[in-house]
Amino acid sequence: MKKQIISGLLIVMALSVSISLTVKAQNSNNQNIQVKTDPVEIGKRITDHVAKKKSYRFYAMVCTYYGSLIFGDATDDSEITRQMEKGIEPYVNGKRNYRKGHVDYNVFGIWPFELYRQTGNEKYLQIGKELADHEYKNVRKDGLTSYSRFWVDDMYMVGSLQVQAFKSTKEQKYLDRAASLLKIYCDSLQRENGLFYHRKDAPFFWGRGNGWAAASLTEVLLVLPKTHEHYLPLLKAYQKMMSTLKNYQEKDGMWHQLIDYPESYAETSSSGMFLYAMASGIDSGWLPFDEYKDNVTKGWDALAGYVNKKGKTKNVCIATNAKNSEKHYLKRWKLTGDYHGQAAVLWAATAMVKLLDNYN
């Protein structure tokens, strides 16, 4: 009996060693990633800047607070969580009001949802659920929220809120809403080359609009089961988009304000969102490592160079309405420190931290 036990233990030990060696071999098979600029340093620079500012309910700022939280989580920086709790407190105690009734208002819920997951405080969950449920209070015949405008921006504003509700509650209805909305929007706005029009009557591949699409597809795919009816269509939509974006990336690593207009300026909010999607795709196995590694590394090093010493991101396109006018997009001016860019760089930094942890 003792011999059998010892023999069994030796077999288990041998298998463990074999598995360990296999994992090491896979991770050491020239699959490492090196960047010139530490994403932790860049992300911390931005979160320090954000923490000094008064909090607002504007969607771009909310996306930045959410970005600060996921960055803090990825880097085990609990001080960032404390700072983001301090910022939301006026909305929790009723001294300030958050709004409902529009995709740009309801996305406020991604902030308290992430706080709930990091702290377990039910008061944050209540706010998030209120906004996620209110968004689908009136449903169209196609199952979409009545707020749907078929602007590409909606893919993130609605999709992200519903997927954050699923992550916090584990209720399937939220994930189904997010996946269904993204599938319908892909069918409507995604072109054959994988990129998205801003709106059907605004047939331009606006950088940040495509960034919203890339980020929303990423967030949903990260939690969507492979058995879900929309998993494969959304994965294919994502992969087609990444393949085209790879080809439109400039040699310096950036993407343009209008993706297919090289004469337009290098734009940081779109570049950050594309990097978030690509880095997450490599990390999740949706994209081939060897094919996309260089795009991600040169993209990150380029983007990091647009964050100044004060933690403000440069070359951020101002808020942009959809319009059937090439000039409208080409003439949009660029800002420094705008929260659209702050959020996008934080998302990219978070994805890069995770990627570097897994491949180095």
Side-chain angles (χ1 to χ4, degrees), residues 8-166:
L9 288 172
L10 288 172
I11 291 172
V12 171
M13 290 173 65
L15 286 171
S16 298
V17 171
S18 174
I19 293 171
S20 176
L21 289 173
T22 300
V23 171
K24 287 181 180 179
Q26 288 173 343
N27 288 339
S28 62
N29 189 25
N30 296 322
Q31 289 191 334
N32 60 352
I33 291 182
Q34 295 182 349
V35 292
K36 297 176 183 177
T37 309
D38 184 3
V40 175
E41 191 277 326
I42 295 295
K44 192 67 172 66
R45 198 186 299 175
I46 295 176
T47 56
D48 285 346
H49 171 75
V50 170
K52 296 173 185 176
K53 302 295 180 179
K54 185 178 180 180
S55 62
Y56 291 97
R57 63 193 179 194
F58 179 54
Y59 74 86
M61 298 175 184
V62 168
C63 288
T64 304
Y65 305 147
Y66 169 72
S68 298
L69 284 167
I70 62 173
F71 173 78
D73 185 53
T75 55
D76 296 318
D77 190 338
S78 59
E79 176 60 19
I80 294 176
T81 306
R82 188 195 66 78
Q83 291 168 339
M84 294 302 105
E85 278 197 284
K86 183 179 179 181
I88 205 171
E89 192 58 35
Y91 299 99
V92 174
N93 61 28
K95 291 183 178 180
R96 301 187 70 185
N97 298 317
Y98 47 89
R99 300 172 68 181
K100 296 178 288 187
H102 189 281
V103 296
D104 291 348
Y105 301 158
N106 285 52
V107 75
F108 181 94
I110 66 175
W111 184 11
F113 270 138
E114 183 61 31
L115 275 172
Y116 165 71
R117 290 195 294 275
Q118 292 191 21
T119 67
N121 194 323
E122 293 283 337
K123 63 185 179 182
Y124 302 134
L125 178 64
Q126 293 171 7
I127 294 174
K129 279 195 67 176
E130 176 191 356
L131 290 165
D133 290 336
H134 180 271
E135 192 164 63
Y136 274 76
K137 185 177 181 180
N138 296 308
V139 181
R140 297 166 24 142
K141 290 182 179 179
D142 57 7
L144 298 182
T145 168
S146 59
Y147 300 160
S148 299
R149 306 170 298 172
F150 280 88
W151 293 40
V152 70
D153 315 46
D154 300 353
M155 292 178 68
Y156 188 85
M157 303 306 159
V158 178
S160 179
L161 175 61
Q162 296 302 318
V163 83
Q164 302 308 329
F166 168 74

Side-chain angles (χ1 to χ4, degrees), residues 5 61 67 113 116 141 173 187 245-246 276 289 295 304:
I5 293 174
M61 298 175 184
F113 270 138
Y116 165 71
K141 290 182 179 179
K173 66 179 181 180
D187 291 343
L245 286 173
K246 180 166 65 71
Y276 166 65
F289 178 90
N295 299 89

Side-chain angles (χ1 to χ4, degrees), residues 151 197-199 201-207 209 257-258 261 264-265 317 320-333:
W151 293 40
Y197 283 162
H198 195 176
R199 198 172 60 194
D201 60 350
F204 297 96
F205 302 128
W206 176 46
Q257 156 71 353
L258 279 182
Y261 282 62
S264 63
Y265 61 83
C317 174
T320 299
N321 288 323
K323 192 173 182 179
N324 188 3
S325 166
E326 174 187 290
K327 183 178 179 181
H328 169 69
Y329 293 95
L330 292 175
K331 295 296 184 181
R332 302 305 288 170
W333 61 93

Side-chain angles (χ1 to χ4, degrees), residues 183 186 228-238:
K183 174 62 168 60
C186 284
H228 195 282
E229 63 175 321
H230 295 316
Y231 179 82
L232 282 179
L234 292 181
L235 179 63
K236 289 179 180 178
Y238 162 88

Side-chain angles (χ1 to χ4, degrees), residues 205-223:
F205 302 128
W206 176 46
R208 187 161 64 242
N210 277 268
W212 292 126
S216 61
L217 284 167
T218 300
E219 294 215 346
V220 171
L221 285 169
L222 283 170
V223 295

